[in-house]
Amino acid sequence: MASQRLLIGVDVGGTNTDAVLLDPTKSGPSAVISSFKATTGTDVTTGIEEAIRTLLRQANASPSNVASLMIGTTHFINAVVERDASKLEPVAVLRLAAGDYMKNTPPFIDFPPALTKIINGYGTRISGGVQIDGTEIGPIKEAEILEQARIIKAKGLQKVAVVGIYSPFDEKYKQEYQVRDVLKQALGGDVEVVCSRDVAGVGILARENAAILNASILRFAKRTINGFKRAMKRLDLRCPLYLTSNSATNSIRGASFLSSNGKQTESRYVVDIGGTTTDIGCLLPSGFPRLASASTEIGGVRVNFAIPQVESIGLGGGSLVHVPESVEGRFSIGPDSVGQALREKAKCFGGDSLTATDIMVAAGTAKVGTSTPEALLETIEAARRKMKIMIEDLIDRMKTSPEPCSLLLVGGGAFLCPPELVGVATIEIPEHSGVANAVGAAVADIGEAAELMVDNDKKDTTLVDVKARAIAAAVARGAKEDEIRIIEEDVSGIPYIEGKSKIVVKVVGPVDYARFLNSTDIDVPESSTNDVYDETKKWEIEDVKAFTEADIDHDTYRPNIDSNRVWHLTETDAYYISIGCYILGCAGGGTPYGSYLELRQVLRDGRDVTIVDIEDLADDALCGPVAGMGSPVIAIERLGGNMISEAWEGLQKHLGTMFSGVMAAEIGGSNGFAPLHISNAYNIPCIDADVMGRAFPAFEMSSLFIGANDDNINHLLPVCLASGDGTAMTFSTSKDALAVDKVLRAICITMGLAAGITARPCTKTELQNYSIPKSQSLSWRLGRAVVRARSKRTIANVHHDLITEFGGPQTAKKVFEGKIVGIGNTIYKGHSYGKLVIEKLKDYEKESGSIGGDDFGPEKIEIPFKNENLLVEGSYKDGEKKILTMVPDLIIVLDTLTGEACGVPEYRYGLKVMVIVAAAHSLWTSKRGLEIAGPKAFGYDFDFVPCGTYTGVTSVIDEYAPKA
C-alpha cells in the first residue's frame, strides 16, 4: 500500500465516533478498507485519534498514504442548541441600513432570551444597504464606521457581524467588505469580522442570525479545529483537513455511496433508524440532499443556512411501546425512549421496559439481547402494524410525487422497518450501513452557490456570469475545477413584479487533492493554556423572560380596552392578529412574521398602538387606507422603513388636510399590520375595518369601489406612493381601472420593487356603508382560536373553533382534509398563478380517532390561485366534478399540524392540510361586488354560488370594553 492514496471519514456523534478508511479508486462497499467505532469522550479528539489509529493499523497503512481527512461534527451546532456559554462569545452587529429601515427590528429580535443574554454584545445601524437591483440605498461613510470601531473596542468585543440590506446582490459596491476592511484596520487582527453575504442568502433577519451565530462560535470552532490538527500531528497525518455537515447530510450521501444500485437517475430516500428517532432525507440525482425551505431553526434561532430537508419521528430501537389498558385506549409507540439505556431497560436484556426492539425480537425478526421477551401475539401484531404506518407516513411527508420510490435503509434500528411499505418500490440495506455517516463524510464534495436579481432582457448573459462566479468560489474553496458540476440552475420571475427575474446557481465538485499532496506541514498554533481544546460545558439558565404561547392563559386573557372604548394592543394581541391575518390572506398577502416582530418591538419599547370601532369615530373623521405594495420578496430583506409613513404624509400634503384615523387597505397577510405601525408613528387610532376583508391581487378590488358612481375608478383616487428613501408620487386620475394597476406597478418598480401606498381617505359614513367592519377583531379571534387549540392540544379540531369565529356553520365550513399531491406555480405579469391539488387521506394516514370520514365527499380537490386562492373544485368517485366554492368567498388552506395558514410559498407535496371556506361580506356578494371580485372578474364563465351566509363578526371592543 506504499503508493496508494486513501481517504479517512470520521463522524463525531454524541455517543460514538465512527470512522472509515476508503480506497478512492473504488466505489460502493468495496471501497471500505476498514471501519471502527470509538466512544465519544469529553475531549472529542481522543475518540477521533483512537479511531484513526485503529483504521490504519487494521489496514496496515502508513499515515503518508492518507490524502484527506474529512470530519463531520455537530459540536458547533450543539453549542448553540445547548446555550453553552463556554463556547459562545458576545457579538457586535453593524447593520448597513440607511434611513429608517430595520429600525423596529433590532438584532437578536427573534433569538431565545438565554442566547440573547450570552451573544448580544452590541447592535446599531449605519449608512448603507442596496436595493434588490443593486443600486445604493445609502453610501458607506468611513467616519461612521470608525466611530463604531471605537465603541466596539471600548466594549471589549472581539467578534463583529456586518449585515447589509440585499448584500448578496451587492456586486458593484461590496459594502459589507468595505466596512470589514475599515474595521479590521481600526481594531487590529485580533478582532474577527463576519460578513453576512459570505454566510447565507436573501432574507435579512435569517441571514443576520446566521452571521451572528458564525461570529459567536468562531473562537470555539478554531479551538476545535486546532485540536483536530494537533491530533493529526500526533498521528503524523500530513493531509488537508475538511469539516463536513454531520448526521443527515453525511448519512444520505454515505447511503448512496454504499448502495449497490450504482449511479442514480432519480431521487432516492434515505431512512436512518436510530435508538430514539427515525430520520428521512432525500438524495437527488445530483448526489446532494434536497434542501429545506428558505429558513430553518438552529437552537430556536431562525437562519437560512443551506440545511438538508429532514423529517423525523419518535421511533427508534429504544422507543417505548404503550399498550392500552382497555379497548377504548390508544396504542402508541414513542416518542419517549430508553435511548442509550437499552441494554439496561429493554426486556430483551432483562429489563422491564417494552421497547420497539423487544417487539421485533419477540416476533423472531431480530436477534438482539440475552433473552426473548414475552408478549401477546396481538400486541406484537399491533406494534408492527403501527411501526409500518409510522414509517410510511414519514416517507410520504418527504415525497414530492405519489409514484413509488426507492428507499435506502441505514442505522442500528433498521430491523424495525418491514420488508414492504406502501408507496415504496424497493428497499435496500447497504453493506456497512452502520457507518454510513462516516462514509458520507469521507466522500463529501465542495459546494457553492450564487444568486442575483436582473432585468429579464439581461438574464441570459447574467446567467453565464453567475455560473462563473459560483464555479470560481468553489475552486477557491478547494474543488477540482474540471470536475465541478451544476446541480441547480433556476431563473424565475418575482411575484408581483413584472420584468424582473432571480437567478440561482448551485455547483459542487470533488476535492482537488493534487493541490494539497505536496504540502508537508500542518499549520497548528502552539498549544497554550488559553487555547487547549476543552469540552467543559457552561450552560446558561434561561432566566430572561419573553412572551411565549405558554406564558398566557388563553382562555382567560382579556385585551386592554379602556373606558373610552379604545383598544390598547399588547404582545399577545399582536401575536393573535399575526396568525389571523395570514389566515385571511387566503394564501396571499405575504407572511406577517416580519411585521409582527416590528410591532412586538414597538410594544416592548412602551409605545401605544390603538384600535377603535367605526361607530366611535367623530362624525368629521377622515381615515386613510394604507398598505405596502410590491413583491413579498422585498419584505424579507428591506424591513420597516418609512415608505408607508412617507406615503401617508405625501397624501396629507397633497390634499392639504390631516387624517384622524388609519385603516388597512387589506387585512389579509402582512398588510394587516400596516395601519398598526401608522397608529404608533402618528399617535392616531387604527380603525377596526379594512376594504377587502381578505387579500386580493388588484388595487380596484376594494369594497369602496362598490360605492362608486358610474363605476368610476377615480372614486378610489388620489393615491400616494413612496419609496421610503425620499421619493413620493401622487396619482390623481385615470381613464380606467386597468391603467391604475399598470401605472402603480410601474411606479413600484422604480421605487425598488416595493412602495408604501396611502389611498383617498374615507369619511365615517363611507366606512359605515362600504368598508368591511371588524376585520382586526376577526383576525384577533382567528389567531386566538389557533393558539387556544394548540395550548389544549386539540389542533386536529381547530376548524370547529375557526368556524365559530367566522360566524358559525351557516357562515363557514370545512370542505376537505387531505395531503397536497400536486403544485403548479408560475409567475405571469407579476402575479403568482398556479393550481394546488389535494388528495383525500387514506384511513391509515389519519390520526387515531378520525378513521372513516365523509364517504360521499370528493376524493380530490383542485384550488387554482392568482396570488390568492380562487375556487375549490371537487372530484368524486363516480367521475363527477363540482365547484364547491369560489371567490369572493374566502378559501383557506391550513397546516393540520399547526393550525396556521399555508400561503402559496408554503405549498409543498405531502403536507397534510385542511381546507375551510367562509362567506364573504355581503358587499362582495352584491351585483356590483361580484363584478369587481367575483369569478367572472378572474376570467371564469360561471355565476357565483355562495358557500354560506355572512352573519357578521363580534367586535373585540364591544365584548371586552368596560360596561357603563
Side-chain angles (χ1 to χ4, degrees):
M1 248 187 224
S3 62
Q4 187 178 10
R5 309 303 297 184
L6 306 175
L7 310 180
I8 294 178
V10 180
D11 179 82
V12 183
T15 304
N16 294 317
T17 295
D18 299 341
V20 294
L21 187 66
L22 295 186
D23 180 350
T25 65
K26 298 179 181 179
S27 61
S30 61
V32 179
I33 298 171
S34 60
S35 64
F36 184 72
K37 280 184 182 286
T39 300
T40 302
T42 304
D43 179 351
V44 296
T45 61
T46 302
I48 292 172
E49 202 168 334
E50 178 191 359
I52 293 174
R53 286 189 191 281
T54 304
L55 290 179
L56 295 175
R57 185 174 63 252
Q58 288 176 347
N60 193 27
S62 166
S64 61
N65 293 134
V66 179
S68 79
L69 171 60
M70 300 279 205
I71 299 178
T73 177
T74 57
H75 270 53
F76 309 137
I77 289 177
N78 289 348
V80 176
V81 173
E82 296 171 356
R83 281 92 161 116
D84 189 346
S86 69
K87 301 179 179 64
L88 302 172
E89 286 189 88
V91 177
V93 182
L94 292 190
R95 283 179 170 172
L96 315 185
D100 281 340
Y101 293 121
M102 312 294 292
K103 178 177 68 175
N104 292 324
T105 50
F108 306 97
I109 190 170
D110 56 350
F111 268 56
L115 272 180
T116 302
K117 186 178 178 182
I118 299 169
I119 302 177
N120 186 358
Y122 173 66
T124 193
R125 293 180 296 119
I126 60 175
S127 180
V130 301
Q131 303 283 15
I132 192 172
D133 61 1
T135 59
E136 273 191 325
I137 295 173
I140 294 301
K141 299 177 181 178
E142 185 172 343
E144 280 189 335
I145 304 169
L146 292 174
E147 174 61 24
Q148 293 305 318
R150 284 191 287 273
I151 295 171
I152 291 167
K153 186 174 184 178
K155 289 180 175 291
L157 299 170
Q158 297 291 306
K159 302 293 182 285
V160 183
V162 179
V163 186
I165 296 175
Y166 273 117
S167 60
F169 291 167
D170 178 17
E171 290 305 304
K172 181 177 180 180
Y173 304 100
K174 295 183 170 57
Q175 290 184 338
E176 287 187 352
Y177 294 160
Q178 288 186 55
V179 174
R180 177 199 62 193
D181 294 344
V182 174
L183 287 174
K184 293 287 283 185
Q185 187 171 2
L187 295 172
D190 290 339
V191 173
E192 295 180 282
V193 181
V194 174
C195 295
S196 74
R197 62 179 293 166
D198 295 333
V199 177
V202 173
I204 194 163
L205 288 181
R207 183 175 73 255
E208 176 180 81
N209 291 345
I212 290 170
L213 293 182
N214 267 269
S216 181
I217 208 74
L218 263 179
R219 183 172 180 272
F220 170 59
K222 288 186 174 182
R223 198 166 71 235
T224 302
I225 292 168
N226 286 338
F228 292 163
K229 288 180 176 180
R230 289 192 187 93
M232 291 176 68
K233 265 200 164 181
R234 291 191 292 270
L235 291 163
D236 199 26
L237 289 176
R238 301 180 180 275
C239 59
L241 166 68
Y242 283 95
L243 299 186
T244 78
S245 53
N246 182 261
S247 254
T249 307
N250 289 337
S251 177
I252 293 168
R253 185 168 46 237
S256 174
F257 182 85
L258 294 170
S259 171
S260 61
N261 290 338
K263 187 175 178 62
Q264 68 182 96
T265 57
E266 59 183 21
S267 296
R268 286 189 285 184
Y269 296 86
V270 178
V271 171
D272 187 347
I273 306 179
T276 302
T277 64
T278 295
D279 305 323
I280 184 171
C282 176
L283 185 77
L284 302 173
S286 64
F288 263 56
R290 183 199 300 156
L291 298 181
S293 58
S295 65
T296 187
E297 286 194 358
I298 295 177
V301 179
R302 184 176 293 202
V303 298
N304 55 354
F305 288 128
I307 293 178
Q309 181 188 358
V310 176
E311 297 281 351
S312 301
I313 55 172
L315 173 65
S319 296
L320 293 174
V321 178
H322 303 283
V323 181
E325 296 181 359
S326 64
V327 177
E328 294 79 18
R330 182 170 177 247
F331 190 98
S332 64
I333 301 177
D336 45 345
S337 169
V338 299
Q340 297 174 348
L342 182 75
R343 292 179 176 273
E344 292 79 39
K345 295 186 176 181
K347 289 193 172 185
C348 61
F349 285 100
D352 57 5
S353 297
L354 182 62
T355 67
T357 296
D358 293 319
I359 294 295
M360 303 309 289
V361 173
T365 59
K367 295 181 179 179
V368 180
T370 57
S371 61
T372 301
E374 293 185 5
L376 295 174
L377 180 59
E378 60 191 59
T379 299
I380 295 172
E381 291 177 347
R384 296 183 69 183
R385 187 164 55 247
K386 179 67 174 178
M387 285 187 275
K388 180 175 184 289
I389 290 171
M390 291 173 72
I391 295 171
E392 287 172 345
D393 184 58
L394 178 66
I395 295 168
D396 218 32
R397 279 158 48 189
M398 178 62 66
K399 289 169 67 177
T400 55
S401 73
E403 285 76 27
C405 66
S406 298
L407 193 71
L408 291 169
L409 190 59
V410 298
F415 56 81
L416 299 184
C417 184
E420 293 183 357
L421 294 167
V422 174
V424 175
T426 61
I427 300 175
E428 179 187 358
I429 303 178
E431 189 179 353
H432 303 296
S433 62
V435 289
N437 283 354
V439 172
V443 298
D445 284 336
I446 292 174
E448 264 295 347
E451 59 181 298
L452 202 62
M453 199 281 300
V454 297
D455 295 329
N456 284 346
D457 60 354
K458 298 178 181 177
K459 62 186 180 183
D460 291 337
T461 54
T462 306
L463 176 60
V464 175
D465 294 338
V466 174
K467 287 181 185 177
R469 195 173 87 194
I471 291 170
V475 171
R477 291 184 58 195
K480 194 171 184 180
E481 186 170 7
D482 57 358
E483 292 187 28
I484 290 177
R485 60 194 188 278
I486 296 172
I487 62 170
E488 183 178 332
E489 179 182 314
D490 181 55
V491 181
S492 57
I494 299 175
Y496 299 84
I497 300 299
E498 287 190 70
K500 300 286 184 179
S501 293
K502 185 171 79 167
I503 297 174
V504 178
V505 174
K506 295 178 181 178
V507 302
V508 297
V511 177
D512 188 357
Y513 299 113
R515 270 202 268 169
F516 307 106
L517 291 181
N518 294 328
S519 175
T520 58
D521 294 316
I522 301 172
D523 180 21
V524 184
E526 290 301 317
S527 179
S528 70
T529 55
N530 294 325
D531 200 40
V532 175
Y533 186 91
D534 183 12
E535 274 290 305
T536 304
K537 299 178 186 293
K538 180 183 176 184
W539 289 293
E540 181 63 48
I541 304 301
E542 190 152 338
D543 55 2
V544 182
K545 292 295 291 179
F547 167 75
T548 65
E549 284 186 20
D551 293 332
I552 302 294
D553 185 336
H554 301 285
D555 284 330
T556 61
Y557 172 76
R558 294 179 63 87
N560 177 18
I561 299 167
D562 67 24
S563 59
N564 294 317
R565 290 173 49 85
V566 177
W567 179 6
H568 302 267
L569 293 193
T570 66
E571 282 189 45
T572 303
D573 297 326
Y575 185 54
Y576 291 167
I577 290 171
S578 71
I579 296 172
C581 281
Y582 209 22
I583 291 173
L584 293 173
C586 300
T591 173
Y593 180 71
S595 297
Y596 158 67
L597 289 179
E598 288 185 70
L599 190 68
R600 187 184 72 177
Q601 188 62 41
V602 164
L603 295 170
R604 287 182 176 180
D605 290 342
R607 303 296 297 273
D608 196 19
V609 178
T610 59
I611 297 176
V612 299
D613 191 83
I614 293 173
E615 301 306 323
D616 296 322
L617 291 171
D619 291 341
D620 61 351
L622 282 178
C623 303
V626 297
M629 182 179 182
S631 173
V633 172
I634 305 300
I636 65 172
E637 186 74 26
R638 208 178 71 186
L639 292 174
N642 293 326
M643 63 184 191
I644 296 177
S645 297
E646 287 182 6
W648 179 262
E649 293 177 2
L651 192 60
Q652 288 184 137
K653 181 178 179 181
H654 176 80
L655 295 175
T657 187
M658 302 293 287
F659 306 154
S660 49
V662 63
M663 62 187 294
E666 64 176 355
I667 192 66
S670 61
N671 271 332
F673 274 73
L676 301 176
H677 289 291
I678 294 294
S679 170
N680 159 62
Y682 296 94
N683 195 28
I684 58 174
C686 168
I687 315 306
D688 192 3
D690 77 309
V691 295
M692 291 185 181
R694 47 168 296 156
F696 272 130
F699 172 78
E700 70 272 13
M701 291 177 176
S702 163
S703 60
L704 300 177
F705 198 22
I706 297 171
N709 294 325
D710 302 322
D711 306 336
N712 189 342
I713 190 63
N714 292 299
H715 182 74
L716 301 181
L717 303 176
V719 296
C720 184
L721 274 75
S723 63
D725 59 2
T727 301
M729 185 176 296
T730 302
F731 184 20
S732 299
T733 59
S734 176
K735 63 180 181 179
D736 56 35
L738 181 61
V740 171
D741 200 59
K742 290 182 68 174
V743 170
L744 292 181
R745 290 187 181 280
I747 295 171
C748 189
I749 289 174
T750 66
M751 291 182 174
L753 304 188
I757 183 169
T758 299
R760 176 187 64 78
C762 310
T763 64
K764 178 178 179 179
T765 300
E766 192 173 13
L767 292 177
Q768 288 171 323
N769 293 330
Y770 292 108
S771 74
I772 311 298
K774 302 175 178 57
S775 52
Q776 294 285 354
S777 285
L778 179 57
S779 66
W780 184 91
R781 292 183 177 281
L782 296 174
R784 183 184 65 170
V786 171
V787 177
R788 275 182 170 177
R790 283 203 292 244
S791 65
K792 295 177 180 178
R793 291 173 172 76
T794 58
I795 203 68
N797 295 314
V798 70
H799 56 284
H800 295 306
D801 305 314
L802 295 173
I803 288 168
T804 298
E805 300 298 354
F806 272 116
Q810 68 271 41
T811 301
K813 58 186 175 183
K814 182 174 111 174
V815 295
F816 200 72
E817 183 170 354
K819 69 177 180 183
I820 296 175
V821 296
I823 311 143
N825 191 9
T826 187
I827 306 297
Y828 177 67
K829 292 189 175 181
H831 294 287
S832 288
Y833 288 84
K835 182 187 291 185
L836 182 69
V837 183
I838 307 172
E839 195 175 77
K840 186 177 179 181
L841 292 176
K842 299 176 177 62
D843 278 349
Y844 70 84
E845 295 176 305
K846 299 177 181 177
E847 294 294 322
S848 297
S850 62
I851 303 301
D854 183 6
D855 292 332
F856 302 101
E859 296 294 301
K860 178 178 73 175
I861 64 169
E862 296 184 355
I863 304 177
F865 55 85
K866 178 185 177 182
N867 295 348
E868 289 80 38
N869 299 324
L870 300 180
L871 59 85
V872 179
E873 182 180 45
S875 299
Y876 294 79
K877 284 182 179 179
D878 60 4
E880 180 189 11
K881 290 190 174 183
K882 186 189 301 183
I883 304 296
L884 304 180
T885 194
M886 64 202 73
V887 287
D889 284 346
L890 286 69
I891 301 165
I892 300 154
V893 179
L894 300 174
D895 184 332
T896 58
L897 291 179
T898 66
E900 294 195 36
C902 295
V904 171
E906 289 82 47
Y907 288 167
R908 64 176 175 84
Y909 178 89
L911 187 68
K912 290 183 180 179
V913 296
M914 66 176 75
V915 181
I916 64 173
V917 298
H921 189 278
S922 54
L923 282 171
W924 285 122
T925 56
S926 67
K927 180 176 181 296
R928 178 58 183 149
L930 291 174
E931 290 172 352
I932 296 170
K936 292 184 178 179
F938 290 92
Y940 293 104
D941 189 23
F942 50 75
D943 293 327
F944 171 72
V945 178
C947 72
T949 303
Y950 181 81
T951 57
V953 176
T954 302
S955 163
V956 171
I957 295 172
D958 286 348
E959 180 177 356
Y960 292 102
K963 307 306 179 195

